[in-house]
Amino acid sequence: MALQNINPTKTKAWEKLTNHFNENKDINIKDLYKNASRKEDFSIEFDDLLVDFSKNRITEETISLLVELAKEVNLKDAIEKQFNGEVINVTEGREVLHTALRSTSEEPVLVNGKNIKPQIQTALRKIRSFSNKVISGKWKGYTGKAITDVVNIGIGGSDLGPDMIVESLQYYKNHLTTHFVSNIDGDHVSEIIKKLNPETTLFVIVSKTFTTQETITNAETIKNWFLKSATIFDIPKHFVAVSTNLEAVDNFGIDKTNVFPMWNWVGGRFSLWSAVGLSISLSVGFDNYRALLDGAEEMDLHFRNTDFNENIPVILALLSIWYNNFYGAETEAVLPYTQYLKKLPDYLQQAIMESNGKGVDRNGDKIDYQTGTIVWGSTGTNMQHAFMQLVHQGTKLIPADFIGYKQSLYGLTDHHKKLMANYYAQMDALAFGKTKEEVHLELKFSGDEDKISQLLPFKVFEGNRPSNAILFDKLTPHSLGKLVALYEHKIYTQGILWNIYSYDQFGVELGKELAKKLLNKQ
Ligand code: F6P
């Protein structure tokens, strides 16, 4: 049975939420914080993860009405349909089973009546054995030398996920140097090539369709460069592919044994858990890759089995809807307080905006309410010296996720204490601000009394700006898997609530078609 088709704005819960919003829209986080148990009441703990959503413009009633909305649109049923492999990507006629890729349970998941778990396990074994051979140096290049560099050639979901994870897990990296080529801009590939030795480089061509213009163009350029030093008989030692399109891979000249599978039931932007993640396994080793999958699986189980009012992805999705659809906020910031996660905002831009940037509902009708949020961000503390001025004192309401870690990886405690002091201080400043009275006193005691009338309005922080603290013990492959899966489930939850199809991306097609036409005219 297909997903239900319910316009959220026509539900009883929406009407109640509208009334609740009209009555409470001026509530202030500072006032809400007068309740001593506020933090505790609006926090969820899940093993090594604590999500504190107390600094939001919400009351218990807001959450209960938002949960009512999730129930009224039958989110539970939609979650089960996704996990059970129903064709919920209706417009492309596909199941959506990235969750099956990380599942360790024996429970079968059927696609066309066939359990897909065995093929997932076979692919994982192939990834493990191949990664081990390359990392240990048993896999030799055409002159008998071990591999030193790995180049992932892909774009979109075939690039952003692996690139973000490899960057985020740098601390766990082995001796191999990993590069990512994505842009059709020839300068990108040229800059990478100049660092490479063909004798010791492994190229991983990642393309679900194996027709993507950028990827195929880059792969051809690299193959031609490679063939200047080697012969076509050397290709099997240096080129592997991850794809569903075996014929195109074969035409490219890649050996059958060097093809890693992809499946139509895995969407590009949710594919890092499949062989698309091969460059991750090559960079940090298979055990760390498996730990990433395990962390994601823990979040899957939490999402599937936890009541909505304690369910982290659901709560974060509902809060986002609260600001997007009631307060009219258009963007959300993702602000990791670790330099390792500097590529997370880019990755999430594809995951979130390609999924939920839709203007037509599941009925095919034009939508008259807001859907997908614009997501952006950067790492703390750098961004405090860049765009945070606007978030603190600008005219826009920008809810923000602050991602932090209790421990640093290198144990530089002085740095980490300062980092985390900033992490908490930013959220406090956003929520509680600084009043006129406080500014007045501050100027008075700093000896600037004469400047009070001139400076006071500029130094006031109105506060009441929402944030979520997403705090893990430590950045590990396991906790990273959990974090990424959290956002994946938030995306799906929002898509269900907005009554859209989150798993297609027809909006990227027209530009591609027109570019092809223009190219043919040249
Ligand atoms: O940008 C559109 C898109 O289809 C993404 O969804 C996908 O991740 C990317 O292109 C790459 O596609 P492929 O893996 O088929 O090369």
Side-chain angles (χ1 to χ4, degrees):
M1 265 226 327
L3 290 173
Q4 298 198 1
N5 190 339
I6 300 170
N7 180 336
T9 65
K10 302 280 184 268
T11 59
K12 283 192 195 120
W14 196 277
E15 197 185 327
K16 288 189 208 167
L17 277 162
T18 307
N19 294 335
H20 174 73
F21 173 73
N22 289 335
E23 282 158 23
N24 294 280
K25 59 175 179 281
D26 296 325
I27 53 171
N28 198 299
I29 299 170
K30 202 182 218 173
D31 295 330
L32 297 168
Y33 248 79
K34 286 180 184 148
N35 180 347
S37 64
R38 170 92 188 165
K39 223 177 164 63
E40 214 177 292
D41 296 345
F42 292 87
S43 287
I44 303 173
E45 236 181 304
F46 172 37
D47 298 334
D48 60 338
L49 167 63
L50 175 74
V51 175
D52 171 1
F53 58 102
S54 60
K55 293 188 184 72
N56 279 291
R57 299 186 192 177
I58 52 162
T59 61
E60 298 275 5
E61 196 188 349
T62 322
I63 292 294
S64 98
L65 291 175
L66 286 166
V67 166
E68 208 175 303
L69 175 67
K71 288 185 179 158
E72 209 174 327
V73 299
N74 222 342
L75 174 63
K76 183 80 195 146
D77 172 71
I79 295 174
E80 280 312 299
K81 283 187 170 136
Q82 171 166 320
F83 278 88
N84 290 333
E86 294 200 27
V87 182
I88 56 163
N89 178 359
V90 173
T91 47
E92 293 183 329
R94 290 174 185 170
E95 307 76 8
V96 179
L97 283 169
H98 45 277
T99 50
L101 296 170
R102 49 231 192 182
S103 165
T104 50
S105 95
E106 304 274 299
E107 194 190 338
V109 175
L110 305 180
V111 170
N112 295 329
K114 205 174 146 207
N115 183 13
I116 56 169
K117 290 275 181 74
Q119 39 179 325
I120 295 172
Q121 291 314 318
T122 308
L124 283 170
R125 280 195 293 275
K126 187 166 175 166
I127 294 172
R128 182 176 58 197
S129 125
F130 182 72
S131 307
N132 286 348
K133 272 190 225 153
V134 175
I135 295 166
S136 66
K138 278 195 192 127
W139 183 281
K140 306 282 188 215
Y142 69 98
T143 56
K145 292 183 185 159
I147 298 297
T148 57
D149 290 68
V150 174
V151 182
N152 187 97
I153 310 165
I155 197 163
S158 298
D159 165 76
L160 288 162
D163 191 9
M164 180 275 288
I165 300 283
V166 169
E167 177 74 31
S168 304
L169 296 181
Q170 243 182 89
Y171 180 79
Y172 302 89
K173 248 187 87 36
N174 55 35
H175 62 284
L176 298 173
T177 307
T178 319
H179 313 263
F180 290 84
V181 179
S182 51
N183 203 320
I184 192 81
D185 176 3
D187 292 343
H188 189 193
V189 66
S190 304
E191 280 299 332
I192 305 273
I193 282 176
K194 80 181 184 198
K195 298 178 196 144
L196 303 174
N197 175 356
E199 293 173 62
T200 57
T201 305
L202 177 78
F203 299 98
V204 184
I205 309 173
V206 187
S207 178
K208 188 171 158 183
T209 54
F210 224 80
T211 56
T212 305
Q213 188 190 50
E214 290 89 339
T215 304
I216 301 310
T217 307
N218 281 326
E220 291 288 356
T221 300
I222 284 177
K223 187 168 81 173
N224 291 338
W225 167 82
F226 176 79
L227 290 176
K228 281 185 191 153
S229 339
T231 72
I232 47 167
F233 303 107
D234 301 320
I235 286 181
K237 294 193 170 90
H238 292 269
F239 287 81
V240 302
V242 183
S243 188
T244 52
N245 188 348
L246 300 182
E247 203 186 322
V249 173
D250 187 48
N251 290 342
F252 185 88
I254 291 183
D255 200 277
K256 261 198 210 100
T257 52
N258 287 347
V259 184
F260 292 77
M262 252 297 259
W263 301 283
N264 278 332
W265 37 265
V266 180
R269 53 194 174 275
F270 301 93
S271 63
L272 69 92
W273 323 97
S274 70
V276 169
L278 183 60
S279 51
I280 304 172
S281 176
L282 287 164
S283 295
V284 295
F286 183 82
D287 289 349
N288 281 322
Y289 182 60
R290 182 64 249 181
L292 181 85
L293 267 55
D294 291 343
E297 186 189 20
E298 274 186 25
M299 186 52 77
D300 296 342
L301 296 172
H302 168 85
F303 178 57
R304 194 175 182 181
N305 301 326
T306 311
D307 286 346
F308 292 159
N309 45 2
E310 287 292 319
N311 192 315
I312 296 168
V314 172
I315 290 292
L316 293 186
L318 292 174
L319 288 170
S320 171
I321 284 177
W322 180 234
Y323 293 115
N324 185 59
N325 295 91
F326 293 90
Y327 278 99
E330 294 206 315
T331 81
E332 279 172 16
V334 176
L335 311 172
Y337 271 64
T338 162
Q339 197 55 22
Y340 288 117
L341 295 194
K342 72 173 187 205
K343 292 193 173 171
L344 183 70
D346 284 359
Y347 164 79
L348 288 176
Q349 279 178 340
Q350 190 208 15
I352 295 171
M353 292 161 76
E354 199 165 272
S355 299
N356 286 338
K358 311 286 166 64
V360 168
D361 69 12
R362 290 203 284 270
N363 230 3
D365 292 331
K366 195 167 164 24
I367 285 171
D368 61 1
Y369 47 89
Q370 287 293 320
T371 60
T373 46
I374 299 163
V375 64
W376 57 281
S378 179
T379 55
T381 56
N382 295 15
M383 52 57 172
Q384 293 176 197
H385 302 268
F387 54 67
M388 283 307 282
Q389 161 65 39
L390 184 146
V391 184
H392 283 289
Q393 283 191 317
T395 52
K396 294 184 170 56
L397 177 69
I398 304 171
D401 285 350
F402 283 75
I403 300 165
Y405 294 87
K406 287 183 195 160
Q407 295 166 45
S408 76
L409 294 182
Y410 283 97
L412 291 174
T413 46
D414 174 50
H415 283 258
H416 200 65
K417 272 187 200 154
K418 289 174 183 163
L419 177 74
M420 293 313 279
N422 277 282
Y423 172 81
Y424 289 113
Q426 287 294 317
M427 286 183 278
D428 283 351
L430 287 169
F432 307 127
K434 197 190 267 184
T435 60
K436 274 187 198 156
E437 293 69 29
E438 285 165 332
V439 177
H440 190 102
L441 283 177
E442 199 177 271
L443 288 170
K444 191 170 163 188
F445 290 117
S446 65
D448 283 332
E449 206 164 356
D450 52 325
K451 295 197 185 127
I452 290 178
S453 59
Q454 185 201 340
L455 286 181
L456 192 128
F458 303 103
K459 291 191 158 248
V460 168
F461 286 68
E462 64 184 15
N464 208 20
R465 296 180 183 225
S467 65
N468 299 307
I470 299 174
L471 182 66
F472 286 95
D473 287 351
K474 197 172 162 179
L475 176 55
T476 60
H478 189 273
S479 69
L480 184 62
K482 242 179 177 173
L483 177 71
V484 176
L486 188 173
Y487 279 106
E488 287 180 345
H489 297 318
K490 178 183 168 187
I491 291 167
Y492 182 52
T493 300
Q494 289 186 286
I496 291 301
L497 271 102
W498 284 323
N499 199 30
I500 56 177
Y501 287 122
S502 298
Y503 294 121
D504 61 21
Q505 57 287 315
F506 297 114
V508 302
E509 294 305 329
L510 181 59
K512 286 188 202 172
E513 277 165 33
L514 296 180
K516 264 189 206 147
K517 278 191 192 151
L518 284 175
L519 199 59
N520 289 339
K521 275 192 199 161
Q522 280 173 13

